[in-house]
Each structure stands twice: as structure tokens, then as C-alpha cells.
Amino acid sequence: LVQFWDTIETGREPYYLYAISNAGSFLALLVYPFVIEPLISVHSTMVLWALLFMLYVIVMAAQARRVSLYRGKALHETSRERVSFSTRSTWVALAALPSLMLAAVTAEITQVIAPIPLLWVLPLALYLLSFILAFRGWGQSMVSTVLLFISAAGAYVLTPASWSMVIPQAGVYLALLFFTSLRCHAHVYALRPESAASPRFYLHIAFGGMLATAFASVVSPLVFSDYWEFPLAVALAAAAAIALIPLASFPDALHARDRRIVRAAALAFVGVVFMQSVAMDRLSTISAESGAVVRTRDFYGVAAVWTDEDSRALIHGRTLHGMQSLDSGEAQLPSTYYVPGSGIARAIMFEKDAYTQGIRVGTVGLGTGSIAAYCAPGDTFVFYEIDPRIETIARTDFSYLRHCAGSDVRLGDARLSIATENAAGRAGRYDVLAIDAFSDDSIPTHLVTREALRVFGSSLAGPKSIIAFHVSNRYLDLVPVVLRLAADGRYTAMVVRDDGSNGYAGAASTWVLLTRDAVVFSDVTFANSSSWLPVPASHVWTDEYASVLSVMTLPPAVRAWFW
């Protein structure tokens, strides 16, 4: 709108302002997670934003007043501007491909390669940077087209994802996103209309971005069982690289008609090769590694059930969420993060020793239902799960829940569900409450705040009850976060680090246990574990303040690559 007004007032071409506006978006993207969020609370940020928005409204109103005298002239000029359907369709297509690539690459590097917090900032920053460069007139050369095709070929070579190639894969995928965006946006800029038609121009760009984003975020989870939009985007990028080669770049011996035929044939070949080869490459790798009994995808990501000769496991993204033996004699043994030496196992066994009439265990996060392996007659095990398909998987592909007569699964956000139960006088009265909700490889922030701990604490049966936070993580050190919460809430805390050696298919785990009664952790059940409380700090996570920057650790794969 401001660009259109500028055209009305000055008569000059306004498109350089689009580069400036994207530079503002680029700056905001970097400033918010690295400066504003670590230093300012959510409420203060909202107040600051509201003040700036009020200033924005005043400035826009003043500008509208200035251009009101030119309104009739502008409408007359705009109504006479005609743009062909072919050109408008090209605008939409060239805007859609970078948006699809942005969504696909972001999902691929943050869900498939390495679920590192804030990693999503990189692809979005490159996407915005491409707009800045393209609308300053860069990116239309043959060099950018060649780099686009090379990066597409590199993405094909490095697909499917491999944990040992995290850095090269992420680098190539990001390069593909950047050169796809730069080349497409540069061509959009080259096809820009006269200034009077700029509103239609930006409407078509926005429409193309909306179509691609809707496909990636709404349609793909419904129709694909994996992130298949990524190989599709790779194929389209390679095809775009060929389609954007000017006809003049072909040998002079070929007539224009022959050149178009050559280019069309190349496009068809690239499309078929990339879409089929990349997809089949990934499928063959999956089949070679293991057999997938179930593979589903929804808003919460990709969940797969893998099976081999001895066991069955649930994988969400790249994270193991539970395993069960296929041997009937070992099928009900706790495994992975829940083996007898783990923090949650110690907490449950302590409560079982203290109460002979059965205990109540609440668990935030279902997974395979492995914690129900500790269920005995008279016990009640309640699971809170936000993803309905996980309950289906736990009941059909694993048998932990079936062998626990007192098990119950309650769908919905766990914190909200428990708060509602507490307010209605139906508090769980749990002897053990396990916070084991993973979002791939990290606990959702709203479950590790001061307000969340108050909700969980109100659902406990008594002072000897235990809240167990599962904080095993490759990229975040959440132990200090929970310990600060414990100090702030006047709990005694114990950190239980277990190597998983004591039990079936054990996995290393870290649990932080909290209780009101300090005597609890002196019990022999908690022998050989560490217990301490830090000095209460000002950086206790709350609903108003929680910054992951302070607890991020360098990924092992990154350390191995560089050192």
C-alpha cells in the first residue's frame, strides 16, 4: 500500500521499497529470538508492540491523508492497466516455489536431520534475504541459474538424511532454498508490471505463497506419511532451473521452436528422475533399515513404528519414544528411558513400597505406554496425550496399556486438562506425576514454568508424592531449569542420571525428581543418585519468560564435524 501511495505521489517505480521492507523483516527475525526474547518478558514485549503499532497507525493515517488528493487519478490509471493471464500465472508460480521450498527445507532440517531449537531461523532468514537481493536487481544472471541446478543435484545426492552428514546436508539444503528463492524472486522482479499495477502484482505474489504454504502445512500432513514435499520441491527446483534458462543461451543453430522442445524434454526428464529417484531412494533406505509397521504424519510430525526380529519401537521424528520386546516372556518389561535404574522407576518403586493398596500415577505424554509396565493390580495409571494417533499406536501396536487394567488415556493438552480437573475438584491425587511429553527432542516450554509446576503440584496426593521431569535431551540442558523451579517452589530435588544398563533395551536418561518431603530422597530406593538445590535465581522460567538460548548445548554431530 505504501509503495502504491509512493507511486501516486512521485510517479517513480516503487519496487525498491519491497527490498527495504524485507530487510526490516530480516532484522526483526534476528532481533526477536536473540535479543528481545532473552531480555524482555512476553507482557513487556506485547506492550512495546502495541505502542509501536499505535505509532504505525498514526503514520499510516497521516500518509493516507497526504495522498487523498491523488486518489481519483490513481484509480483511473490502475483501471487501465492490463496484465495477461500468462504473466499473472507466472507470478503465482514463481512465488509459490520458494514458499514450498521454505516449508520443505525447514521441516527437513528441523524434523528429519536435527531438531535443534531456533534452527528454523536460518531458512527463513535466507528466504527474506532472497527478496532483498532480488528486488534490488540481483539474481537474474546465468550464474544463479547454474547454482540453483547444482544445489538441487547436491540435495538429491545427499537424500535421504543421514545423522553422520548433518552439516553437509543442512548446508546443501539451505543453499538449495536460497538459490531457488533468489532465482525465482529475481524472475518475478524482471516481470514486474508498471507501477500502477503493483497492487495486483503483490496480490498474486501473496496468493502464490499462500497456496504453497497451505499445501505444505495443511494438505501434506493429510495425504503424505512422511515429508514427501521435500523431494517434490527438489524436483521442481531442478525443473525451474532449466525453465529459467533463456532461449538465447541455447546454440544458435537451433531455431526458437527447437529450443523450446529441448527445454521441455529436459524439464520432463528432470521432473521424472528427481521425483521418482529421490522418493524411491528414501523408501529403499527405510526398507533396508527396518520394517515399518505403521508410518503416519499429522500436525505434530511423523511417527513410525519399527519392527525387527526381536522388538518393536516408536520413533517420532528422530527420537525414540519407547520400545517393547516381541518375546512374550519379556513383552511387559520396562525399556529405554524407563528401565529399573531410571528416575521414574525409582519414584514409582518408592511409592509402591510406601502404599500397599495401589498407587496412582499420572503421565504427561503417552508414547508406547512403557511406564504402564510398572502397573500392578490396584494401581491406576493415567496418561495425558495431545496427539490422538499416539493413543491408537499405543493400543494397537504395543501391549503395555492392555496389561494394565487401571490405565486411562485422556486426550488434550496435559497442563490444561490437569488444571481443569483441579478447578473442578477432580484433582488426580497422584503419588507420581511424570512429565514426559516430548516435542521430538525437547519438552514443550509451557510444561517447565513456574505456573505449570503449581498446576502439577496441586494434583499430587500428599507431601511424599513425586513429580518426575524427564529432561533427556541432545540440545538443551534442562536440568538447571527444573532445579530453579524446584528452589522457587520450595521443593527438594534429585537428579537421576541412568546409563540404561539395568534393564531390557535400556537407554541413557536424565530425570529430575521433585518432592515436598526431603526425607523421601533418603530412602534406599534413591541410593547412588545426586541431590541438590541451586540458590534461587531470577531466571526462573515462567509463562512470561522462557528463553532456550540460555540452556542450548552444541549438538554432538556439530562438535564431531568441527573438532
Side-chain angles (χ1 to χ4, degrees):
L1 182 61
V2 172
Q3 293 177 54
F4 186 58
W5 286 347
D6 183 71
T7 298
I8 295 173
E9 280 197 281
T10 66
R12 63 190 175 192
E13 187 175 85
Y15 295 108
Y16 72 97
L17 293 174
Y18 197 54
I20 295 176
S21 71
N22 278 282
S25 299
F26 182 84
L27 179 63
L29 173 66
L30 298 181
V31 167
Y32 186 81
F34 300 110
V35 178
I36 294 179
E37 190 176 43
L39 300 178
I40 306 177
S41 69
V42 173
H43 178 73
S44 298
T45 304
M46 291 171 61
V47 172
L48 175 61
W49 184 90
L51 292 174
L52 291 174
F53 183 74
M54 291 173 62
L55 177 62
Y56 159 77
V57 171
I58 294 172
V59 171
M60 289 292 285
Q63 184 67 10
R65 174 79 175 176
R66 287 182 57 190
V67 301
S68 60
L69 297 177
Y70 302 90
R71 184 171 180 270
K73 175 177 178 290
L75 290 176
H76 177 69
E77 290 183 352
T78 303
S79 64
R80 298 184 62 178
E81 185 71 28
R82 293 291 183 266
V83 180
S84 69
F85 177 79
S86 175
T87 299
R88 287 185 280 121
S89 299
T90 303
W91 291 344
V92 172
L94 290 174
L97 180 55
S99 294
L100 175 62
M101 186 64 73
L102 171 64
V105 169
T106 302
E108 192 75 8
I109 67 174
T110 61
Q111 301 295 326
V112 180
I113 296 180
I116 302 173
L118 297 180
L119 187 58
W120 59 269
V121 171
L122 285 178
L124 184 52
L126 292 174
Y127 177 79
L128 294 173
L129 181 61
S130 72
F131 271 121
I132 297 171
L133 297 178
F135 277 73
R136 294 303 294 174
W138 296 357
Q140 300 180 37
S141 68
M142 188 67 178
V143 174
S144 61
T145 305
V146 172
L147 290 175
L148 167 56
F149 189 81
I150 291 175
S151 60
Y156 164 71
V157 172
L158 292 178
T159 300
S162 171
W163 181 243
S164 62
M165 298 289 287
V166 170
I167 300 301
Q169 283 180 316
V172 169
Y173 295 168
L174 290 172
L176 174 60
L177 166 64
F178 176 71
F179 289 118
T180 300
S181 302
L182 178 62
R183 189 65 189 90
C184 290
H185 291 154
H187 199 65
V188 166
Y189 178 73
L191 296 176
R192 65 194 183 279
E194 295 295 328
S195 301
S198 61
R200 250 186 237 130
F201 176 66
Y202 288 117
L203 177 63
H204 284 79
I205 290 178
F207 183 68
M210 182 274 294
L211 285 179
T213 304
F215 174 78
S217 60
V218 179
V219 177
S220 294
L222 295 176
V223 300
F224 296 152
S225 62
D226 205 333
Y227 294 105
W228 300 115
E229 63 268 29
F230 178 71
L232 173 62
V234 172
L236 292 176
I242 296 176
L244 293 175
I245 296 176
L247 291 177
S249 301
F250 287 91
D252 294 335
L254 292 176
H255 294 293
R257 180 176 60 86
D258 297 328
R259 298 173 192 175
R260 292 190 181 93
I261 293 175
V262 171
R263 187 162 61 178
L267 286 173
F269 175 76
V270 168
V272 171
V273 169
F274 272 80
M275 283 191 286
Q276 295 297 322
S277 299
V278 175
M280 292 307 297
D281 191 14
R282 175 172 291 182
L283 284 174
S284 63
T285 301
I286 290 173
S287 301
E289 290 177 351
S290 182
V293 177
V294 176
R295 192 173 192 86
T296 64
R297 178 185 173 187
D298 65 4
F299 173 80
Y300 300 102
V302 175
V305 177
W306 302 96
T307 184
D308 57 25
E309 295 180 355
D310 303 316
S311 62
R312 183 171 293 163
L314 172 62
I315 308 292
H316 191 280
R318 295 186 64 90
T319 303
L320 177 65
H321 280 224
M323 180 180 293
Q324 186 172 30
S325 174
L326 296 179
D327 186 308
S328 59
E330 299 179 332
Q332 296 311 306
L333 294 178
S335 62
T336 60
Y337 319 109
Y338 317 103
V339 293
S342 65
I344 185 61
R346 293 172 188 247
I348 292 175
M349 296 313 298
F350 170 81
E351 299 295 343
K352 282 182 175 291
D353 291 341
Y355 302 98
T356 58
Q357 300 301 315
I359 64 171
R360 290 182 60 84
V361 177
T363 301
V364 177
L366 173 60
T368 61
S370 299
I371 292 179
Y374 293 98
C375 180
D379 293 340
T380 298
F381 279 66
V382 177
F383 294 87
Y384 297 89
E385 176 57 50
I386 198 170
D387 189 346
R389 69 187 167 147
I390 298 300
E391 179 185 7
T392 302
I393 290 174
R395 293 192 182 280
T396 58
D397 296 286
F398 299 89
S399 61
Y400 290 117
L401 293 180
R402 292 199 299 271
H403 286 80
C404 179
S407 66
D408 181 27
V409 178
R410 300 174 185 176
L411 296 176
D413 180 86
R415 176 175 162 180
L416 295 178
S417 297
I418 294 175
T420 300
E421 293 170 1
N422 293 345
R426 296 183 286 106
R429 311 300 298 170
Y430 296 120
D431 300 299
V432 177
L433 181 59
I435 313 303
D436 187 33
F438 284 86
S439 177
D440 202 350
D441 199 46
S442 61
I443 293 178
T445 305
H446 75 294
L447 298 181
V448 281
T449 65
R450 174 187 291 156
E451 294 81 0
L453 184 57
R454 289 173 182 168
V455 171
F456 299 148
S458 299
S459 192
L460 297 180
K464 291 185 181 296
S465 299
I466 297 172
I467 303 177
F469 285 88
H470 189 189
V471 295
S472 305
N473 200 283
R474 290 191 290 260
Y475 310 112
L476 299 176
D477 182 11
L478 293 170
V479 171
V481 174
V482 179
L483 290 178
R484 290 190 187 112
L485 288 175
D488 179 73
R490 300 181 182 277
Y491 286 87
T492 296
M494 167 174 282
V495 180
V496 180
R497 291 186 171 89
D498 179 51
D499 61 6
S501 59
N502 182 21
Y504 169 78
S509 65
T510 302
W511 292 79
V512 182
L513 310 182
L514 277 61
T515 185
R516 293 289 190 186
D517 191 342
V519 177
V520 168
F521 293 143
S522 63
D523 189 85
V524 66
T525 307
F526 302 100
N528 302 318
S529 294
S530 55
S531 177
W532 75 88
L533 279 178
V535 176
S538 59
H539 294 299
V540 175
W541 280 14
T542 67
D543 290 348
E544 286 291 320
Y545 174 84
S547 173
V548 299
L549 282 178
S550 61
V551 296
M552 283 186 63
T553 59
L554 196 63
V558 175
R559 290 200 301 268
W561 179 264
F562 287 106
W563 291 285

